[in-house]
Amino acid sequence: MDLSLLIIGEVIEVRGQKVRVKVYKEKNSSNLNYNGEVLKNVSVGGFIRIRKGFLDIVGKIEGEYIVENKNINTKYSEKKDNIERIVEISIVGSISNNGKFIRGLSELPLVFNYAYILTEEQVQKIFAFVDKEVPKIEVGNIIAYEKYKLELGIQNLFGSHIGIFGNTGSGKSNTLAKIYNELFNRYNNFHNFKKNSKFILIDFNGEYSKSITETNKKLYEISTRKEKDKYPLTKDHLTELEFWSIILEATEKTQQPFLKRAIELFKNIIEKNISEEIIAQTKNIINDIFNYRDKYNILRKYYKEIIFLGFCNCQNEVKGLFDILTLNTTNNSLYLDLNLPRNQKPYFDSEIKFHGECRVSNLLSNIKNCNCRFNSITNYWYLFGFICKIQYINELKKGYILEEHIAPLIKRLDTRIPEMEKVFDINEAIMEPLSVISLVDVNVYMRKIIPMIICKKEYDAHKEKKNQGVLHIIIDEAHNILSKESQRESSMWKDYRLEVFEEIIKEGRKFGVFLTISSQRPSDISDTIISQLHNYFLHRLVNNEDIKSIGRTVSFLDNASYEMIPILPQGACIFTGIASNFPVLVQVDRVEKSLCPESDTINLNELWTDN
């Protein structure tokens, strides 16, 4: 076998990892015929090997240019003969004596070493990122080497954090569906796969309801507008100060201490007979109205609310009492504002007279077990809201808190609890191996709350298992939840939200928790999160800030690949990370039609024509 046919030039300059090679004029064709094989010749993005003694050093061509050879007498030669072709190469590894490609810079070539194009066998070795016996998935065809598929090892890809970035329409949704369909197709029939793994897919746009093949898949179509599916939580979440502080945007100095005391009361009540505790708390408040009559005007509406919220069949008694029970602020006296002359209106000048009033006694008698709304099936969301208002009344009447400090929190409570009750269910439901949470019908505020709560819940639960199985959290359109520049939220909530996901990406690997994020705006996402990813699928990005963000945070990217990001065709991406030896340009295979994410651009001609 005549290897001299493969020589295409020689090294003329070595500067660290960067090498320049002069290409011989007779080797400037696009392809070379070698023993009946058509080999791809030197071109940007391709690979060559440089022979140094018994070692083959492999480099990737990052650029090329021409220079004029001034040593040739131009008087007796044509101008084209004076031009020399130079290619710039970045060393990516070497081929060892046993024929295996080794990634990394182990040795540099010398000036005048010969450069060769690669044989088919050598190309196979370079793109063999995993051994034959190692479990792997196929992603797509390697561009410029279309005969070869990009095969990635299961361990190196899915035992890592993954980032998929690209503008809308660039193919990132197909890439996300492709790699996870390949994974499920390979392991779906194994019992241990379903037993020891859990996948949570946060789907902001409702694209993945049918796109991943998994027989044990649960789709949660969550809505804040109407009753749909609810994601299961445990009662323990309702006893966490951090949980409620974020939902209610509680201030640190005044509202969080109040919430902490309300949570303690809530914990005490749910550990006992709930209905009996509710009855006792409510009766104490009604009995104390006279003793704290100076706060009656402030608390009147809350007296009504707790009885309406906690008891049924009491509406007439509530209206009959609180619609006419009035405070005379001049002498701090309670009286019934009946249609009588002022001097004949019944005043309560003692606690005995107040409790002896039939309207008060009738209300107290109707606050009983059979009328309690928390008697049999308890709605813990509304129970928590009820307890907060009990605590608010008790502390406000005693002067422990100021109305202007806590009243905004109570108003937010009235808004957030119905929303939380629509999307979360308090039960111990058994989760399927794959859960797809569709947030397409969720309002803007809850689109940030729901993923954060679900991801933190699953992460904390998995940490307690102590390395039993793996958890994969997959977030499509991740800029919706990982944005560092959001103006719709308080700085405290934004910091907490980012801290949750930064902890997952920094510490999750050691607990078997891996994060996959897909986004069209990497510049919106925290640099800490992007830089901690291990593998990247980079589709076309055209925004300068997005491209700069990738260049600033992705350490596995070379200059040639970086400059290609804005001009990648649809479906093509640059894959780089620990699962490959170097950045690879790949055309990702299209997922079969029945499993495609619902993200294709609408066909206007079909929409607008009768046919």
Side-chain angles (χ1 to χ4, degrees):
M1 187 179 293
D2 189 4
L3 294 179
S4 63
L5 296 175
L6 298 177
I7 298 176
I8 53 92
E10 59 188 50
V11 177
I12 60 171
E13 184 178 318
V14 179
R15 292 193 178 186
Q17 187 185 1
K18 303 297 181 182
V19 176
R20 293 202 303 167
V21 171
K22 180 179 73 174
V23 181
Y24 298 147
K25 289 183 175 60
E26 63 271 18
K27 296 299 175 74
N28 278 335
S29 58
S30 59
N31 295 288
L32 293 179
N33 191 323
Y34 177 70
N35 292 340
E37 294 183 23
V38 177
L39 301 180
K40 187 177 179 64
N41 201 1
V42 178
S43 63
V44 175
F47 295 87
I48 64 171
R49 66 184 178 91
I50 301 170
R51 188 73 174 172
K52 179 185 179 183
F54 296 101
L55 179 67
D56 285 322
I57 300 171
V58 178
K60 183 178 180 181
I61 301 172
E62 293 188 345
E64 63 173 281
Y65 57 93
I66 58 173
V67 296
E68 184 179 357
N69 189 342
K70 297 181 180 179
N71 295 324
I72 296 179
N73 191 335
T74 57
K75 183 177 181 180
Y76 302 103
S77 63
E78 295 184 18
K79 186 174 182 179
K80 64 179 182 178
D81 295 332
N82 304 339
I83 302 301
E84 292 184 344
R85 183 186 180 196
I86 308 296
V87 294
E88 291 187 339
I89 298 162
S90 179
I91 304 299
V92 294
S94 59
I95 298 176
S96 63
N97 293 332
N98 61 7
K100 186 175 181 180
F101 177 77
I102 301 173
R103 176 181 179 178
L105 183 62
S106 59
E107 196 163 345
L108 291 172
L110 300 174
V111 174
F112 299 129
N113 283 159
Y114 288 122
Y116 299 76
I117 61 172
L118 301 177
T119 63
E120 289 286 335
E121 181 183 3
Q122 290 166 337
V123 172
Q124 288 177 355
K125 290 174 182 176
I126 288 177
F127 290 124
F129 297 140
V130 289
D131 296 333
K132 289 184 178 180
E133 65 275 8
V134 173
K136 59 184 79 70
I137 64 168
E138 285 187 356
V139 176
N141 294 320
I142 298 173
I143 295 177
Y145 293 92
E146 286 77 7
K147 294 181 182 179
Y148 304 97
K149 287 280 189 179
L150 175 61
E151 294 181 331
L152 301 175
I154 298 290
Q155 178 63 38
N156 287 338
L157 180 61
F158 293 101
S160 72
H161 303 305
I162 303 171
I164 304 173
F165 302 109
N167 289 142
T168 179
S170 63
K172 65 181 183 302
S173 296
N174 178 72
T175 299
L176 177 60
K178 172 66 178 176
I179 62 175
Y180 279 99
N181 268 305
E182 289 285 322
L183 178 67
F184 279 97
N185 288 338
R186 183 178 183 89
Y187 289 99
N188 212 14
N189 296 324
F190 291 93
H191 172 72
N192 279 346
F193 176 67
K194 298 176 181 178
K195 176 185 175 183
N196 297 324
S197 59
K198 191 173 183 180
F199 296 81
I200 306 292
L201 172 55
I202 307 295
D203 183 9
F204 279 94
N205 295 328
E207 299 175 9
Y208 296 91
S209 59
K210 301 176 183 177
S211 66
I212 298 179
T213 55
E214 162 58 48
T215 53
N216 300 97
K217 177 170 71 175
K218 172 65 176 175
L219 173 63
Y220 293 92
E221 292 184 313
I222 294 176
S223 173
T224 54
R225 298 174 178 87
K226 51 190 173 182
E227 288 291 335
K228 279 193 172 183
D229 300 326
K230 297 182 180 182
Y231 194 84
L233 296 177
T234 63
K235 285 187 288 187
D236 292 340
H237 286 86
L238 302 187
T239 59
E240 294 178 2
L241 175 61
E242 207 171 43
F243 176 84
W244 284 110
S245 296
I246 297 306
I247 292 173
L248 300 175
E249 300 178 53
T251 57
E252 182 180 0
K253 300 297 183 182
T254 55
Q255 295 175 353
Q256 285 188 24
F258 168 79
L259 267 180
K260 185 177 181 180
R261 296 189 293 270
I263 290 171
E264 288 300 318
L265 179 60
F266 177 76
K267 288 165 66 175
N268 291 334
I269 288 176
I270 62 176
E271 290 172 358
K272 300 175 183 177
N273 186 307
I274 293 176
S275 60
E276 289 182 2
E277 291 297 316
I278 293 300
I279 291 169
Q281 290 283 342
T282 307
K283 284 188 172 181
N284 285 339
I285 285 175
I286 302 301
N287 286 327
D288 274 348
I289 288 177
F290 181 82
N291 294 330
Y292 297 99
R293 55 191 179 275
D294 57 318
K295 297 288 178 30
Y296 175 75
N297 285 341
I298 297 174
L299 295 173
R300 178 194 286 193
K301 67 175 182 178
Y302 295 108
Y303 292 145
K304 290 183 179 180
E305 282 186 26
I306 62 166
I307 298 172
F308 284 148
L309 184 61
F311 299 89
C312 55
N313 301 324
C314 292
Q315 287 84 353
N316 292 334
E317 286 77 8
V318 170
K319 290 181 178 180
L321 175 61
F322 292 109
D323 285 358
I324 61 174
L325 184 63
T326 309
L327 176 68
N328 186 332
T329 55
T330 303
N331 56 14
N332 197 30
S333 299
L334 290 172
Y335 68 95
L336 296 179
D337 191 11
L338 300 174
N339 191 18
L340 294 171
R342 180 181 294 273
N343 59 353
Q344 295 181 16
K345 291 181 179 181
Y347 273 76
F348 303 112
D349 53 6
S350 69
E351 188 175 357
I352 295 174
K353 280 188 177 181
F354 177 75
H355 290 148
E357 166 59 39
C358 63
R359 294 173 180 83
V360 176
S361 58
N362 287 341
L363 176 59
L364 289 171
S365 65
N366 273 284
I367 298 175
K368 54 188 177 181
N369 196 55
C370 61
N371 288 333
C372 183
R373 296 184 189 275
F374 306 106
N375 188 14
S376 53
I377 301 175
T378 299
N379 185 316
Y380 287 99
W381 295 106
Y382 286 104
L383 176 61
F384 183 82
F386 181 88
I387 299 303
C388 283
K389 289 181 179 177
I390 290 283
Q391 187 73 18
Y392 179 66
I393 292 171
N394 285 333
E395 294 195 7
L396 189 57
K397 71 185 182 183
K398 295 176 182 177
Y400 295 166
I401 57 175
L402 296 176
E403 180 187 16
E404 57 267 27
H405 289 166
I406 310 301
L409 181 78
I410 300 299
K411 288 181 180 178
R412 287 195 292 272
L413 191 75
D414 291 336
T415 303
R416 303 285 159 78
I417 281 196
E419 291 181 336
M420 298 296 290
E421 196 269 338
K422 283 182 182 178
V423 300
F424 290 115
D425 192 20
I426 305 300
N427 63 51
E428 302 290 341
I430 297 174
M431 302 292 291
E432 298 292 350
L434 172 61
S435 298
V436 180
I437 294 94
S438 174
L439 304 178
V440 68
D441 198 31
V442 172
N443 63 39
V444 173
Y445 178 78
M446 293 300 290
R447 280 163 75 94
K448 291 184 182 292
I449 285 279
I450 294 170
M452 189 274 294
I453 291 176
I454 291 175
C455 294
K456 181 165 175 55
K457 172 223 173 187
E458 298 296 342
Y459 174 65
D460 290 342
H462 193 81
K463 276 201 304 185
E464 294 178 2
K465 295 179 182 178
K466 296 182 179 178
N467 297 327
Q468 294 183 14
V470 295
L471 169 65
H472 284 266
I473 298 173
I474 309 161
I475 307 176
D476 185 47
E477 305 296 345
H479 49 272
N480 287 303
I481 181 64
L482 301 181
S483 172
K484 59 185 178 181
E485 302 294 341
S486 175
Q487 302 298 322
R488 290 194 182 100
E489 58 195 344
S490 66
S491 59
M492 182 196 72
W493 154 238
K494 181 173 66 177
D495 292 344
Y496 177 78
R497 172 173 53 79
L498 290 176
E499 285 170 7
V500 167
F501 288 98
E502 286 178 1
E503 180 186 352
I504 292 174
I505 206 163
K506 288 177 182 176
E507 309 295 337
R509 180 191 55 80
K510 67 183 73 170
F511 302 112
V513 180
F514 303 103
L515 186 66
T516 297
I517 61 174
S518 173
S519 175
Q520 54 187 278
R521 291 307 310 272
S523 60
D524 276 358
I525 298 175
S526 163
D527 287 348
T528 301
I529 291 175
I530 295 181
S531 64
Q532 292 294 319
L533 299 171
H534 304 113
N535 289 296
Y536 301 84
F537 293 87
L538 304 174
H539 289 269
R540 182 180 67 248
L541 291 165
V542 296
N543 183 279
N544 284 336
E545 291 302 318
D546 293 329
I547 297 171
K548 287 178 183 177
S549 176
I550 292 297
R552 186 173 61 249
T553 54
V554 180
S555 60
F556 303 103
L557 205 57
D558 57 48
N559 289 334
S561 300
Y562 176 73
E563 291 172 358
M564 291 187 69
I565 292 176
I567 57 173
L568 290 171
Q570 186 179 34
C573 72
I574 298 166
F575 176 80
T576 184
I578 63 173
S580 67
N581 293 322
F582 43 78
V584 182
L585 187 59
V586 57
Q587 183 71 37
V588 180
D589 291 339
R590 182 77 171 171
V591 177
E592 60 180 272
K593 193 170 183 179
S594 61
L595 298 174
C596 278
E598 298 175 358
S599 61
D600 288 343
T601 304
I602 191 169
N603 188 313
L604 295 178
N605 184 62
E606 289 182 5
L607 180 69
W608 290 341
T609 58
D610 295 337
N611 295 330

